RNA sequence: UGGGGGAUGGUCUAAUGGUAAGACAGCGGACUCUGACUCCGCUUAUCGAGGUUCGAACCCUCGUCCCCCAGCCA
């Protein structure tokens, strides 16, 4: 990707973070800036991470400066290399390049250990033997000060010895921690002697069994930023309270670099959940078919759903960066997909819920090839030929025996245009004697209207899509809808968010009729099924010749609004 | 009720002492061989009360409401 304006159009005013960076560059505080995206490899990336990725890497591209990808892998009990791989893939797929700047916090374990010893020597850290419960009690509460640990005033030599023995595996998990020695009376709980290291006798996905003590986030993060010479360390609002601690580490250890932490509001989207913990529950509980289920707002799910990387980048740019907790409506994301796909997706005709049409006056056995444009607004995308014959399929929704007022489609005695085909008029309806279900309709066509226009200038109000029955390719199409029924599934603490799952988030239509050109669709190709929506061939389940389609998003439909329900797909 | 943040149409975002703007949503209309796209129009906002000022969304004071923090998670 070379066009950085695509990511942040020049016309858009700078967000507050970019303003700070511009000032720092202008004032000479920094000649070059360095940002970083620091995921923990304990799950797949989602749309919320995309916001952070676009921010950090976007700033990098705009300023021609590096943006590091650093895995914050300090908790081996939750982290796995499969997540490392998926994260790298997703960042690249989104269009970003970390170049040589791929790092792991675990790369710094030795330096982090040395710095911890340094803190001990400074009298700023000590080995504490309080249990986890005791530490919690000693920490105090929001309104009451904490109490100092009885181990707080050990000698430096004793602390050094104990810490080394922690490292050497002499002690049990949970029996000791290394703590910073700051202020048990601080109104900021993060400063009440936070834990720096804990004993975890767990194999790490990169360092194996080399370590049995692992550093905590706050300590690791600030030092890793300093080690890498990060200038602006961008994180979400909940870390605002941690900033004094972040700074304390850097100030106390007098690091060469002192990055500035700046916090921005995380992304909230309606009709979904964003927390990794909850997403994990959906995956592990089998509520979805995996991290990359097209209903998931993971990067891999969105990719499979048919969202392009540029659409996701556009979305992240559109929503902006601020400090106000905000909820973006899902329709904004959906609209971004439509906007992107409208430009690029070739148009095709597919009948999702087929209804047989027999054209009584069309010669039996005759086949014509109709010229259809691939994109009416972009003639350079060319055209294709679609076969037309006596028996066709049309959409069940496009026929009503007793049509309401503003229904422009087919009904008894009504005439409509078959797109790129002929005008047809319905002459009779065939029903199943037992169920009363309409099984087919009979029509006549006007041979003068070939291609879809009438020489006599007569107008029809409706144009519907169709597929020639003998030529149609039957195919499953997966209709995806929002995963949740409520705007904020998390809203009520007393109700499990899974209660709000949409039971109809996936509908498989297994007898859809594709126009023949779709037989050679490649996995991942995107199309507009005219009058229906944007669809793509599934990346995983599509075989060449036997495609499986996923609905990315519907087209806007103003008929559905006037009709109020009876027409809902 | 300790500390840290935040309040601009229904939802986001801008305006940084000088005409409150844009996007999405909604409503109405035009166009149309996609009830799509496109185009046009409309409704709707500065949390409240004071103050400073010729002039305040912006500065000051006092309130109100919302979010975050008591993991050996990140």
């Amino acid at each position: 990707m070379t066009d950085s304006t695509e990511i942040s159009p020049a016309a858009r005013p700078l967000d507050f973070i970019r303003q700070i960076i511009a000032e720092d560059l202008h004032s000479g505080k920094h000649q070059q800036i360095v940002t970083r995206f620091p995921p923990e490899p304990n799950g797949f990336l989602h749309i919320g991470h995309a916001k952070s990725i676009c921010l950090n890497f976007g700033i990098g591209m705009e300023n021609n400066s590096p943006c590091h990808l650093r895995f914050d892998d300090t908790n081996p009990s939750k982290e796995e290399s499969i997540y490392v791989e998926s994260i790298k893939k997703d960042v690249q797929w989104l269009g970003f390049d970390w170049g040589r700047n791929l790092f792991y916090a675990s790369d710094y374990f030795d330096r982090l250990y040395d710095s911890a010893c340094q803190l001990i020597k400074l009298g700023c850290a000590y080995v504490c033997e309080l249990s986890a419960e005791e530490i919690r009690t000693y920490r105090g509460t929001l309104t009451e000060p904490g109490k100092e640990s009885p181990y707080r005033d050990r000698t430096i030599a004793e602390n050094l010895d104990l810490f080394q023995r922690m490292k050497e595996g002499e002690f049990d998990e949970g029996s000791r921690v290394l703590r910073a020695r700051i202020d048990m009376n601080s109104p900021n709980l993060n400063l009440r002697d936070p834990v720096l290291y804990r004993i975890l006798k767990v194999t790490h996905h990169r360092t194996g069994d080399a370590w049995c003590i692992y550093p905590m986030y706050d300590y690791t993060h600030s030092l890793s930023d300093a080690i890498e010479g990060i200038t602006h360390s961008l994180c979400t609002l909940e870390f605002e309270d941690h900033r004094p601690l972040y700074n304390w580490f850097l100030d106390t250890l007098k690091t060469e670099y002192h990055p500035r932490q700046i916090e921005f509001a995380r992304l909230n989207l309606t009709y979904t959940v964003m927390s990794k913990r909850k997403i994990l529950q959906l995956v592990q509980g089998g509520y979805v078919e995996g991290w990359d289920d097209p209903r998931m707002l993971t990067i891999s799910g969105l990719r499979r759903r048919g969202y392009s990387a540029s659409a996701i980048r556009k979305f992240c740019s559109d929503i902006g960066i601020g400090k106000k907790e905000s909820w973006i409506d899902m329709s904004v994301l959906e609209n971004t997909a439509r906007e992107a796909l409208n430009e690029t997706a070739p148009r095709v005709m597919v009948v999702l819920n087929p209804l047989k049409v027999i054209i009584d006056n069309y010669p039996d056995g005759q086949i014509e090839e109709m010229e259809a444009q691939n994109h009416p607004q972009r003639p350079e995308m060319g055209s294709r030929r679609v076969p037309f014959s006596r028996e066709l399929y049309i959409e069940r929704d496009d026929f009503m025996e007793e049509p309401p007022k503003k229904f422009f489609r087919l009904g008894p005695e009504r005439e409509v245009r078959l797109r790129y085909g002929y005008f047809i008029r319905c002459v009779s309806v065939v029903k199943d004697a037992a169920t009363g279900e309409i099984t087919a309709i009979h029509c006549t066509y006007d041979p003068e209207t070939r291609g879809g226009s009438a020489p006599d200038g007569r107008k029809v109000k409706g144009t519907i899509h169709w597929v020639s029955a003998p030529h149609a390719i039957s195919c499953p199409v997966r209709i995806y809808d929002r995963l949740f029924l409520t705007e904020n599934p998390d809203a009520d603490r007393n109700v499990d968010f899974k209660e709000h799952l949409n039971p109809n988030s996936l509908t498989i239509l297994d007898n859809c009729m594709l126009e023949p050109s779709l037989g050679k669709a490649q996995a991942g190709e995107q199309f507009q099924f005219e009058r229906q929506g944007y669809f793509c061939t599934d990346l995983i389940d599509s075989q060449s010749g036997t495609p499986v389609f996923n609905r990315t998003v519907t087209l806007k439909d103003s008929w559905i609004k006037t009709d109020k329900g009876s027409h809902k797909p």
Side-chain angles (χ1 to χ4, degrees):
Chain A
M1 187 175 54
T2 53
D3 182 12
S4 69
T5 60
E6 184 196 353
I7 293 173
S8 60
R12 194 171 226 287
L14 296 182
D15 58 67
F16 81 101
I17 292 177
R18 280 182 244 250
Q19 282 179 37
I20 290 170
I21 287 172
E23 282 157 22
D24 286 349
L25 249 14
H26 184 252
S27 72
K29 180 177 178 185
H30 297 295
Q31 273 66 52
Q32 167 159 269
I33 60 133
V34 184
T35 51
R36 105 270 91 115
F37 173 63
E40 182 190 13
N42 67 345
F44 279 49
L45 259 23
H46 56 63
I47 184 75
H49 294 108
K51 177 177 179 179
S52 176
I53 292 168
C54 290
L55 210 217
N56 282 292
F57 280 95
I59 286 171
M61 294 177 77
E62 290 151 27
N63 294 285
N64 202 254
S65 58
C67 176
H68 299 183
L69 174 62
R70 180 175 71 234
F71 288 96
D72 221 326
D73 54 352
T74 57
N75 186 358
S77 59
K78 289 186 178 170
E79 296 151 6
E80 299 175 34
S81 10
I82 171 187
Y83 296 130
V84 170
E85 295 314 311
S86 76
I87 289 168
K88 284 156 74 175
K89 177 180 176 178
D90 287 347
V91 172
Q92 273 172 330
W93 177 78
L94 275 173
F96 298 109
D97 180 16
W98 54 81
R100 281 188 227 141
N101 302 302
L102 173 64
F103 303 108
Y104 297 81
S106 53
D107 290 341
Y108 310 136
F109 280 175
D110 282 312
R111 297 175 71 171
L112 259 14
Y113 179 81
D114 290 345
S115 292
C117 293
Q118 188 61 35
L119 283 176
I120 291 173
K121 289 175 190 157
L122 258 13
C124 291
Y126 61 99
V127 172
C128 183
E129 293 175 39
L130 253 23
S131 69
E133 295 71 34
E134 288 168 326
I135 286 182
R136 188 178 350 109
T137 311
Y138 275 63
R139 187 155 32 224
T141 67
L142 294 179
T143 50
E144 295 162 303
K147 203 167 64 179
E148 294 186 350
S149 162
Y151 304 98
R152 199 172 197 260
D153 294 317
R154 288 212 237 242
T155 64
I156 289 172
E158 192 181 359
N159 279 316
L160 249 15
D161 173 62
L162 252 14
F163 187 46
Q164 182 178 346
R165 286 158 63 192
M166 276 172 65
K167 179 193 178 198
E168 284 164 359
E170 193 172 316
F171 307 120
D172 290 339
E173 266 187 33
S175 66
R176 283 166 183 78
V177 291
L178 183 73
R179 290 227 255 169
R181 195 170 184 278
I182 309 181
D183 178 6
M184 290 309 290
N185 294 314
S186 173
N188 181 343
L189 305 229
N190 295 118
L191 263 16
R192 319 240 261 230
D193 290 12
V195 172
L196 265 31
Y197 271 88
R198 76 287 215 193
I199 299 169
L200 242 34
K201 300 199 169 170
V202 175
T203 303
H204 186 279
H205 69 102
R206 293 190 77 240
T207 60
D209 294 318
W211 295 85
C212 66
I213 55 171
Y214 292 93
M216 298 287 289
Y217 165 83
D218 287 299
Y219 175 67
T220 308
H221 198 77
S222 70
L223 288 188
S224 300
D225 281 346
I227 287 169
E228 293 177 16
I230 302 299
T231 55
H232 301 267
S233 180
L234 314 179
C235 63
T236 43
L237 254 25
E238 67 270 28
F239 293 105
E240 226 150 6
D241 282 348
H242 295 235
R243 184 162 15 103
L245 180 55
Y246 181 97
N247 290 331
W248 184 88
F249 290 124
L250 305 180
D251 292 338
T252 306
L253 287 164
K254 298 186 169 57
T255 52
E256 183 182 355
Y257 295 102
H258 190 131
R260 201 233 275 211
Q261 175 178 303
I262 305 172
E263 310 84 9
F264 63 94
R266 68 177 336 129
L267 170 64
N268 293 297
L269 256 187
T270 57
Y271 298 100
T272 191
V273 292
M274 212 63 93
S275 99
K276 270 195 189 177
R277 212 192 91 246
K278 296 200 170 83
I279 293 176
L280 220 209
Q281 278 186 59
L282 295 176
V283 173
Q284 293 187 334
Y287 297 94
V288 293
E289 282 157 35
W291 288 99
D292 63 350
D293 186 299
R295 290 167 292 183
M296 298 280 271
L297 295 190
T298 50
I299 306 299
S300 51
L302 288 165
R303 175 167 60 230
R304 228 179 131 182
R305 179 75 172 258
Y307 277 75
S308 64
S310 68
I312 294 174
R313 277 187 252 121
K314 174 71 162 49
F315 171 76
C316 291
S317 154
D318 283 353
I319 59 177
I321 300 291
K323 295 201 68 156
K324 181 171 77 167
E325 160 136 354
S326 62
W327 283 84
I328 308 293
D329 198 279
M330 183 67 88
S331 66
V332 177
L333 212 213
E334 293 168 343
N335 195 263
T336 312
R338 288 190 190 101
E339 205 173 84
L341 261 8
N342 180 44
E343 294 299 317
T344 56
R347 271 103 239 242
V348 292
M349 292 197 286
V350 172
V351 173
L352 261 19
N353 293 297
L355 172 62
K356 177 73 78 69
V357 172
I358 298 135
I359 303 173
D360 293 336
N361 61 338
Y362 193 85
D364 205 5
Q366 176 173 308
I367 293 161
E368 290 181 81
E369 299 245 295
M370 302 307 208
E371 175 115 355
Q373 292 174 272
N374 292 333
H375 192 129
Q377 280 77 44
R378 298 179 60 181
E380 72 276 14
M381 286 177 71
S383 62
R384 66 194 187 284
R385 295 179 176 283
V386 292
F388 185 95
S389 66
R390 187 167 188 268
E391 295 199 0
L392 314 169
Y393 293 111
I394 64 165
E395 210 65 59
R396 238 162 223 288
D397 283 346
D398 285 340
F399 178 83
M400 282 185 93
E401 225 182 343
E402 290 167 25
K405 260 262 177 298
K406 292 246 179 102
F407 189 79
F408 302 151
R409 285 108 98 148
L410 202 55
E413 302 307 316
R414 284 170 169 245
E415 186 174 52
V416 296
R417 169 167 39 234
L418 294 176
R419 185 146 165 93
Y420 302 121
Y422 288 101
F423 286 12
I424 57 168
R425 181 181 299 278
C426 172
V427 293
S428 63
V429 177
V430 183
K431 292 183 185 176
D432 183 292
T435 66
E437 190 197 10
I438 298 172
T439 53
I441 59 174
H442 282 81
C443 294
T444 58
Y445 84 114
D446 177 354
E448 299 299 309
T449 57
R450 189 177 198 278
S453 50
D456 62 4
R458 82 177 182 279
K459 302 276 187 210
V460 285
K461 196 68 180 149
T463 299
I464 65 175
H465 58 98
W466 52 277
V467 171
S468 166
H471 302 90
I473 300 170
S474 173
C475 165
V477 174
R478 302 192 283 219
I479 303 296
Y480 294 107
D481 200 354
R482 295 170 179 182
L483 231 201
F484 291 93
L485 260 8
T486 51
E487 286 206 348
N488 180 5
D490 279 331
D492 189 342
R493 287 179 217 283
N494 300 314
V495 179
D496 188 282
F497 74 103
K498 296 191 290 300
E499 302 276 316
H500 300 292
L501 246 7
N502 176 4
N504 303 119
S505 59
L506 168 60
T507 305
I508 299 175
L509 266 21
D510 47 20
N511 191 31
C512 301
M513 297 298 172
L514 314 180
E515 65 166 68
S517 72
L518 252 12
K520 50 182 191 299
Q522 302 298 304
E525 267 195 273
Q526 296 163 319
F527 300 91
Q528 184 197 93
F529 291 2
E530 291 211 33
R531 303 207 308 131
Q532 319 237 45
Y534 296 97
F535 295 74
C536 67
T537 38
D538 190 87
L539 251 7
I540 291 161
D541 300 328
S542 261
Q543 311 287 329
S544 173
T546 57
V548 177
F549 282 91
N550 297 335
R551 184 173 75 188
T552 307
V553 66
T554 61
L555 248 29
K556 280 193 207 160
D557 187 349
S558 54
W559 161 244
I560 204 169
K561 287 177 199 159
T562 60
D563 187 47
K564 298 279 188 249
S566 64
H567 165 71
K568 187 143 179 70

